[in-house]
C-alpha cells in the first residue's frame, strides 16, 4: 500500500497546473448515458474515482476512447445493461448518478447502493423521493435501487435539504422527461452549474442553475457535445492552504477563481496576498498565518471539502480559531492525526477549537478520508522533520499526481511502497 514521505519546512515557490474538478467530472461522465451520440470531454482529471466511473460506464456498454491524456470520447449508442453492480460502485457515492440517466433514457435502472468516504450519513432517500415525483416506480431491494418508468413526467421537486447529488440526479433525469420540472431548494455549487452547462450543450433546456430554483423543460432527445470540465476549486484551495502554512509564492494555472469566493476570502483573512485573473491565482505568504474561524455551509458558503485543509493551516496560525462543521457529522477524523503532529485541537460535537502552535513535528500518521488526507499533507509540509502518511489511496481519489505537483514547487515529498 502506497505511502507519502514528506520532509517539511520548505516554502513553496513556482507554478502548479490545476486539474479538472472531480466533483464535476463524475456527474458529467454519467450524463453521456443521455444520448446515443459521441460526447468528448476535456480536462478530465486522472483520478481513481474517474477510473471507477468509467469502468461502471463500460460495464453498461458505453464505448470509451482516450484521445489524449485528460481527453476522453464516450458513446452510449449500444448500452447492453441497466445495472451497476456493487463490486464497481462500493467505493464511490457518485455511482448513484447513473440511476437517473438510465431511467429517463431507457425506462429501467438497477443501481447498487453506493459507498465512498466514511464521513457521515449521505442517504439516497432524496434521490428516491425526487425520482418518484417524476413518476418513476422506484424501490430499494436487496441492496439495490430498482426503478422503472415508461417516460418520466415533469414535476415540482423540493428536497428536504440542499443536496448536490440529488440536484444533479434530477437535472439529468428531467432533461428527457415529458413537460417541465422545477427544482426548489436546489444546490448552487459550481459543479452543479458545470453539469447544467454540459446538458445545455447537449440540447437540454435549463435555466436558473446557480440559484436555488432551477427550471428544466424536457426535450425528446439530446445530442453529442464537446465540453471542458471546470477546474477543481478544492484542489486549488488545498494548494493555497499549503503555501499559507509553509510560506512562499505560487501561481496556480488553469484555475477557476470565480468558483472560490468563500475560500479566497478566508485565506486573505489568514494573511495570504492573493491576486487573481480569469484562469490563474497567485498567492504569496511571508509571515505566520492568522487564525481564521469558519463555519461550513452549502455554496456559496465555506465548502465542507475545504474544512480539513483550513484546519491544518490554523494549527500553525497565530491565535485561536473555531471551526463548525454543519454538513457531515463525522468529518473530524483528521483531528487525532493532526494532534500526533503536535497540533492543539479540542472537539465538542460539531465544533473544533484550534489553538495555533509555532511548530509541528513529523510523525507517522494515517489518512482516513479524502480531504483528511489533504490536511495531513499540508501539516506535513510545514512540520519539522519527516512525516509518513499511510493509506493515501484516499488521496488518489481526489488529487491527480499531487506529489509531482508539490515537487514542482519545491516540496520534499515522495511516494513510497509498502
Amino acid at each position: 500500500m502506497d505511502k507519502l514521505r514528506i520532509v517539511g519546512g520548505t516554502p513553496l515557490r513556482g507554478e502548479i497546473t490545476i486539474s479538472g474538478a472531480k466533483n464535476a467530472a463524475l456527474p458529467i461522465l454519467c450524463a453521456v448515458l443521455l444520448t446515443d451520440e459521441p460526447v468528448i470531454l476535456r480536462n478530465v482529471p486522472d483520478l481513481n474515482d474517474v477510473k471507477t466511473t468509467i469502468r461502471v460506464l463500460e460495464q453498461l456498454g458505453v464505448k470509451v476512447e482516450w484521445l489524449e491524456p485528460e481527453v476522453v470520447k464516450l458513446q452510449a449508442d449500444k448500452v447492453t445493461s441497466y445495472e451497476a453492480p456493487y463490486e464497481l460502485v462500493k467505493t464511490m457515492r457518485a455511482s448513484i448518478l447513473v440511476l437517473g440517466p438510465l431511467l429517463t433514457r431507457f425506462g429501467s435502472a438497477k443501481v447498487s447502493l453506493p459507498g465512498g468516504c466514511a464521513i457521515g450519513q449521505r442517504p439516497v432517500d432524496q434521490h428516491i423521493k425526487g425520482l418518484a415525483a417524476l413518476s418513476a416506480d422506484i424501490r430499494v431491494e436487496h441492496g439495490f435501487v430498482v426503478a422503472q418508468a415508461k417516460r418520466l413526467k415533469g414535476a415540482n421537486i423540493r428536497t428536504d435539504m440542499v443536496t448536490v447529488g440529488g440536484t444533479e440526479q434530477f437535472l439529468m433525469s428531467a432533461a428527457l422527461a415529458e413537460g417541465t420540472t422545477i427544482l426548489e431548494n436546489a444546490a448552487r455549487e459550481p459543479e452543479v452549474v458545470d453539469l447544467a452547462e454540459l446538458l445545455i450543450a447537449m440540447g437540454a433546456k435549463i435555466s436558473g442553475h446557480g440559484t436555488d430554483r432551477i427550471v428544466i423543460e424536457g426535450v425528446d432527445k439530446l445530442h453529442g457535445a464537446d465540453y471542458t470540465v471546470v477546474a477543481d476549486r478544492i484542489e486549488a484551495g488545498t494548494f493555497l492552504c499549503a503555501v499559507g502554512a509553509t510560506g512562499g509564492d505560487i501561481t496556480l494555472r488553469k484555475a477557476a477563481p470565480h468558483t472560490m469566493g468563500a475560500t479566497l476570502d478566508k485565506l486573505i483573512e489568514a494573511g495570504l496576498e492573493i491576486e487573481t485573473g480569469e484562469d490563474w491565482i497567485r498567492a504569496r505568504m511571508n509571515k505566520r498565518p492568522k487564525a481564521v474561524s469558519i463555519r461550513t455551509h452549502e455554496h456559496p458558503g465555506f465548502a465542507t471539502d475545504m474544512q480539513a485543509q483550513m484546519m491544518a493551516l490554523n494549527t500553525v496560525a497565530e491565535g485561536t480559531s473555531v471551526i463548525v462543521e454543519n454538513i457531515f457529522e463525522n468529518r473530524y477524523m483528521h483531528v487525532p492525526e493532526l494532534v500526533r503532529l503536535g497540533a492543539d485541537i479540542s472537539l465538542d460535537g460539531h465544533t473544533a477549537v484550534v489553538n495555533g502552535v509555532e511548530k509541528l513535528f513529523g510523525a507517522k500518521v494515517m489518512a482516513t478520508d479524502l480531504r483528511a488526507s489533504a490536511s495531513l499533507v499540508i501539516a506535513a509540509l510545514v512540520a519539522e522533520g519527516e512525516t509518513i502518511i499511510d493509506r493515501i489511496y484516499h488521496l488518489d481519489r481526489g488529487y491527480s499526481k499531487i506529489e509531482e505537483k508539490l515537487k514542482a514547487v519545491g516540496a520534499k515529498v515522495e511516494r513510497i511502497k509498502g
Side-chain angles (χ1 to χ4, degrees):
M1 191 178 295
D2 287 4
K3 304 176 184 180
L4 279 187
R5 177 181 177 270
I6 298 174
V7 178
T10 303
L12 304 180
R13 303 184 186 278
E15 294 189 355
I16 295 173
T17 299
I18 299 302
S19 299
K22 173 183 87 84
N23 290 341
L26 301 184
I28 280 173
L29 284 165
C30 295
V32 306
L33 290 165
L34 292 167
T35 180
D36 60 1
E37 296 183 15
V39 177
I40 295 174
L41 300 177
R42 304 179 187 275
N43 204 31
V44 178
D46 180 15
L47 300 171
N48 285 349
D49 276 9
V50 168
K51 294 171 186 174
T52 299
T53 302
I54 286 176
R55 283 199 298 271
V56 171
L57 294 174
E58 288 177 323
Q59 171 90 7
L60 297 173
V62 177
K63 291 182 289 189
V64 178
E65 179 186 358
W66 287 96
L67 303 181
E68 56 185 88
E70 299 186 345
V71 180
V72 62
K73 177 182 177 183
L74 306 104
Q75 188 166 6
D77 58 337
K78 294 180 180 177
V79 171
T80 55
S81 171
Y82 309 136
E83 178 177 335
Y86 174 74
E87 290 70 25
L88 284 176
V89 306
K90 63 183 178 182
T91 63
M92 190 184 63
R93 176 172 172 74
S95 53
I96 194 69
L97 293 176
V98 301
L99 178 64
L102 287 172
L103 179 63
T104 195
R105 182 171 164 214
F106 300 105
S108 182
K110 182 179 180 181
V111 180
S112 173
L113 291 169
C117 281
I119 57 175
Q121 292 297 314
R122 299 197 282 187
V124 299
D125 62 317
Q126 298 302 302
H127 297 243
I128 294 170
K129 174 184 173 182
L131 290 172
L134 293 171
S135 301
D137 175 11
I138 188 166
R139 61 196 182 279
V140 177
E141 58 183 30
H142 307 297
F144 282 85
V145 181
V146 182
Q148 283 90 29
K150 287 185 178 179
R151 185 179 182 186
L152 295 180
K153 292 179 171 57
N156 282 31
I157 301 174
R158 181 178 179 85
T159 51
D160 297 340
M161 76 282 289
V162 177
T163 161
V164 172
T167 302
E168 292 165 344
Q169 188 83 270
F170 308 143
L171 273 171
M172 292 186 284
S173 303
L176 292 175
E178 180 183 348
T180 299
T181 298
I182 299 174
L183 306 183
E184 303 278 6
N185 202 27
R188 295 181 280 174
E189 272 69 7
E191 296 79 16
V192 171
V193 174
D194 210 37
L195 173 63
E197 290 294 333
L198 166 73
L199 294 173
I200 291 168
M202 295 169 67
K205 295 181 179 179
I206 300 171
S207 60
H209 46 299
T211 76
D212 60 3
R213 186 178 187 272
I214 303 176
V215 179
I216 308 111
E217 297 177 42
V219 298
D220 292 332
K221 186 177 175 63
L222 294 178
H223 53 70
D226 188 325
Y227 192 78
T228 300
V229 176
V230 72
D232 195 321
R233 62 191 172 110
I234 306 303
E235 183 192 27
T238 299
F239 289 127
L240 293 176
C241 284
V243 75
T246 65
D249 183 346
I250 66 170
T251 299
L252 306 182
R253 300 294 182 189
K254 292 179 68 175
H258 68 279
T259 67
M260 298 178 61
T263 296
L264 295 180
D265 287 349
K266 285 297 180 181
L267 288 169
I268 291 169
E269 189 181 330
L272 276 79
E273 297 177 41
I274 292 179
E275 301 173 62
T276 63
E278 184 175 339
D279 63 352
W280 59 269
I281 303 170
R282 184 181 181 187
R284 286 171 285 186
M285 192 69 167
N286 58 10
K287 56 191 175 185
R288 187 178 175 190
K290 299 175 185 175
V292 176
S293 295
I294 58 171
R295 299 175 68 91
T296 64
H297 208 275
E298 295 88 359
H299 195 79
F302 192 89
T304 181
D305 278 356
M306 280 301 305
Q307 176 257 107
Q309 299 92 306
M310 189 61 77
M311 181 183 287
L313 175 61
N314 275 324
T315 62
V316 292
E318 185 178 350
T320 297
S321 58
V322 178
I323 297 174
V324 181
E325 174 57 60
N326 290 311
I327 307 299
F328 294 122
E329 71 275 10
N330 197 22
R331 203 158 203 181
Y332 284 139
M333 291 189 290
H334 48 285
V335 169
E337 303 304 303
L338 290 173
V339 170
R340 286 177 57 80
L341 296 170
D344 180 356
I345 307 169
S346 57
L347 290 179
D348 183 6
H350 292 275
T351 301
V353 177
V354 185
N355 296 307
V357 297
E358 291 191 10
K359 291 183 180 180
L360 298 177
F361 300 93
K364 291 183 178 180
V365 293
M366 181 178 69
T368 52
D369 62 69
L370 171 54
R371 305 307 172 186
S373 308
S375 75
L376 297 180
V377 170
I378 293 166
L381 289 170
V382 73
E384 284 190 3
E386 177 184 278
T387 298
I388 304 292
I389 305 175
D390 201 357
R391 294 176 64 179
I392 61 166
Y393 59 85
H394 290 292
L395 199 65
D396 293 334
R397 289 186 50 232
Y399 292 91
S400 176
K401 302 179 176 64
I402 190 170
E403 69 274 17
E404 294 177 22
K405 292 181 178 183
L406 286 171
K407 279 182 185 178
V409 292
K412 297 177 181 177
V413 53
E414 63 177 334
R415 183 177 292 252
I416 57 178
K417 302 289 185 180

